[in-house]
Amino acid sequence: MSRRKRRFFPSKEIPTVQESPSAAEVEETEAKCFWGSLRSWFLEKGYTLFELGKLTHSFPLLDTPSRDVEKFDYPYAFCGGDPPFLKSLAAEPLEAYYSDKVCFAQDTQGRHVAIKKLGNTDETRICRFLFEKRDLLAENCILPILEILEHEENRFAVMPRWGDNPCFPDSGSIGNVLHYIHCLLKAIHFLHSNSIVHRDLKEDNTLVNHFGAYRCNKKNMMRPKLRTAGQLTYVLFDFDLSLMLPSPACRLPSSRSVEIFSIVWPYDTSHGELDYDPYKFEMGCLGIILCQKFQPSQHCIPAIPFLAPLFDRLITDQLELRFTSYEALRFFEEMCAKLDPKQLSLEAPVDTASAYPPWEPGEYDRWEGLPSDFVQEWEHFKAPIPSIYTKFVLSVSSGLGAYLAPTDPSYWEHPLEAYYSDKVYFAQDSQGWHVGIKKLNKPDEIKIYRFLFKKRKLLPRICILPVLELFEFEQYCLAVMPQWGEDV
């Protein structure tokens, strides 16, 4: 009789563990439960929440048609213009997203609103302040707050629904490009003059006063007509990460400058500084996003030459020369006043670049090709090319993959810090050894880890992370491994 091949697993069939839902599915379920539990309460307050569909899509429930352009009434936005082939895009008219923080609704008059659950103390304070100053928000390009509601421990800001992707489907005229920049400058100056730093400046946090189905902005048929007619305007919103500071002269520990991972930072705190100016830091961030948006392939600067000195005075590393919000707004308005209507009506050049070039002055000359008399008049605004010493320090910082602040005690306040997620958690055993504990989801993943655990003595030789132990608890299967480092 031939010998049977040895099996890697015991003859008893491995018990299968029910596949756990993904993090996105869990978040969607929790968001549905949260907003669903409040539907009747919001209805009492005069708001009908959208129907919540799958994959965070939501749809209007009231039978109210899109209003005509002539009936537009601030602070509510134009709506409609979804393409006739909307169904082929797997979308619905005026469709919106939803999350655990935001749900869309209509009021008793059928007007569209966005309801946001407020989080940290600063966000709540800022929204209360903006509600008190609501009569000033239109001229200062901040999304209006219509009402603040409280339910048990939750607080909600009700705002008119405006549209995302504000520059889609195209920028339109030179005047429209300048209007978008002007709105940003006014919004930031209003915030800074009231001791508020936004801290998350990016195009995604700007809105336009028109919306349709949120996944179809590039194909919307109404927005280009509104843009041509000069009826679109823009606002800044989203204060999740914002701070309300004690004064306009307040400084913060340098370690706080890198708390936000959704933006690109200037180099203000890359040389071991102990603290920094959050307002000038934010102006540097603004300069970076404007360079990224309007600089590629020089597509806007030749048509609007004064953008070169404006951008350079925003991104310069010489902080004493960097524009404050007031200086940037004043310079911009003075330069725009010199343009005639014909210049403003010209079509903005289309960006044909495949990738954004660097915004650093040492890597990209945004003055190239500009009229010589203009360059001669404004060359004192040019951001200086970094010195060899500065380049060396920045290269060391980049090579270390870290922000250089060795003299800042707060930077080192969490030694051996680690991340965690719904799948991975870090721990120490009874002897103080550091381990990572991973939740196993799929049956194949469980089988593989069982196999690796059985072959654990071979793993160091074949360079696979050892599996120290496998635990089962109720419906969960957990793998314990030693904690090793990343970024090899």
Side-chain angles (χ1 to χ4, degrees), residues 329-467:
L329 179 60
R330 184 180 63 178
F331 174 82
F332 181 89
E333 290 178 342
E334 289 175 353
M335 298 302 285
C336 282
K338 300 177 182 179
L339 301 177
D340 59 49
K342 184 177 179 181
Q343 289 174 286
L344 296 173
S345 64
L346 294 174
E347 280 295 308
V350 177
D351 170 27
T352 57
S354 58
Y356 291 148
W359 54 267
E360 294 93 335
E363 300 290 337
Y364 185 85
D365 184 6
R366 62 186 58 83
W367 297 73
E368 183 180 359
L370 297 185
S372 56
D373 56 340
F374 179 87
V375 174
Q376 185 175 2
E377 181 181 1
W378 294 103
E379 62 182 351
H380 61 291
F381 272 52
K382 269 191 177 184
I385 296 175
S387 66
I388 295 177
Y389 170 76
T390 299
K391 290 180 179 179
F392 170 75
V393 172
L394 293 177
S395 67
V396 171
S397 173
S398 176
L400 290 174
Y403 143 85
L404 293 180
T407 56
D408 183 358
S410 64
Y411 181 70
W412 303 107
E413 64 186 0
H414 297 297
L416 304 182
E417 177 184 21
Y419 72 93
Y420 72 94
S421 70
D422 62 325
K423 293 182 179 179
V424 178
Y425 207 94
F426 291 89
Q428 288 178 273
D429 66 12
S430 57
Q431 300 180 56
W433 298 107
H434 291 265
V435 298
I437 303 173
K438 182 177 183 185
K439 182 178 73 172
L440 307 181
N441 287 327
K442 299 181 179 179
D444 276 345
E445 184 182 28
I446 294 171
K447 288 181 180 181
I448 292 169
Y449 273 89
R450 288 189 187 279
F451 169 74
L452 294 176
F453 178 62
K454 288 188 174 184
K455 301 294 182 181
R456 57 190 177 277
K457 292 183 180 180
L458 301 177
L459 300 188
R461 283 186 283 165
I462 57 176
C463 301
I464 293 179
L465 185 66
V467 179

Side-chain angles (χ1 to χ4, degrees), residues 70-301:
E70 291 76 18
K71 296 180 181 179
F72 165 76
D73 185 22
Y74 180 88
Y76 300 95
F78 301 111
C79 61
D82 292 327
F85 47 88
L86 193 66
K87 292 290 185 181
S88 66
L89 300 172
E92 298 286 342
L94 303 183
E95 176 185 18
Y97 69 91
Y98 72 93
S99 69
D100 61 326
K101 291 184 178 180
V102 178
C103 193
F104 292 85
Q106 288 175 273
D107 66 13
T108 53
Q109 299 179 56
R111 297 175 300 193
H112 292 264
V113 298
I115 301 174
K116 182 175 184 187
K117 185 175 90 170
L118 303 180
N120 62 62
T121 305
D122 271 340
E123 182 185 22
T124 302
R125 287 175 59 209
I126 290 168
C127 286
R128 289 192 187 281
F129 169 78
L130 295 177
F131 178 64
E132 291 172 2
K133 302 291 183 181
R134 55 191 177 277
D135 293 340
L136 302 176
L137 300 189
E139 63 188 277
N140 288 290
C141 304
I142 303 288
L143 185 65
I145 294 179
L146 306 173
E147 195 173 2
I148 292 181
L149 303 174
E150 295 193 20
H151 179 264
E152 296 177 353
E153 74 277 11
N154 295 311
R155 292 172 295 277
F156 302 91
V158 182
M159 298 161 283
R161 179 182 175 184
W162 284 33
D164 54 3
N165 301 127
C167 296
F168 284 154
D170 56 60
S171 297
S173 67
I174 292 293
N176 190 70
V177 170
L178 294 176
H179 181 46
Y180 178 78
I181 298 174
H182 194 199
C183 289
L184 268 179
L185 291 172
K186 287 196 291 184
I188 294 167
H189 177 54
F190 176 78
L191 295 177
H192 286 195
S193 61
N194 287 286
S195 302
I196 298 170
V197 286
H198 188 276
R199 294 214 307 167
D200 197 18
L201 294 180
K202 55 186 177 181
E203 187 179 350
D204 289 350
N205 283 336
T206 59
L207 298 173
V208 62
N209 61 327
H210 166 267
F211 66 90
Y214 83 102
R215 290 182 290 163
C216 305
N217 291 321
K218 292 183 179 180
K219 303 179 185 298
N220 192 281
M221 303 174 70
M222 182 187 290
R223 191 175 292 185
K225 297 176 183 177
L226 294 171
R227 182 166 281 136
T228 300
Q231 293 181 290
L232 294 187
T233 192
Y234 310 93
V235 291
L236 184 64
F237 81 116
D238 194 0
F239 299 95
D240 290 33
L241 304 173
S242 302
L243 296 176
M244 199 165 195
L245 301 174
S247 75
C250 180
R251 298 183 71 86
L252 294 175
S254 55
S255 58
R256 301 209 63 184
S257 67
V258 293
E259 289 177 341
I260 314 302
F261 293 99
S262 56
I263 60 174
V264 181
W265 313 304
Y267 295 135
D268 300 13
T269 56
S270 297
H271 303 84
E273 290 83 357
L274 290 173
D275 62 5
Y276 77 108
D277 183 333
Y279 303 99
K280 286 207 170 182
F281 187 87
E282 182 145 281
M283 297 307 291
C285 293
L286 172 65
I288 291 171
I289 68 167
L290 292 179
C291 287
Q292 291 175 329
K293 180 67 182 173
F294 300 112
Q295 176 178 289
S297 292
Q298 287 284 80
H299 79 287
C300 274
I301 291 179

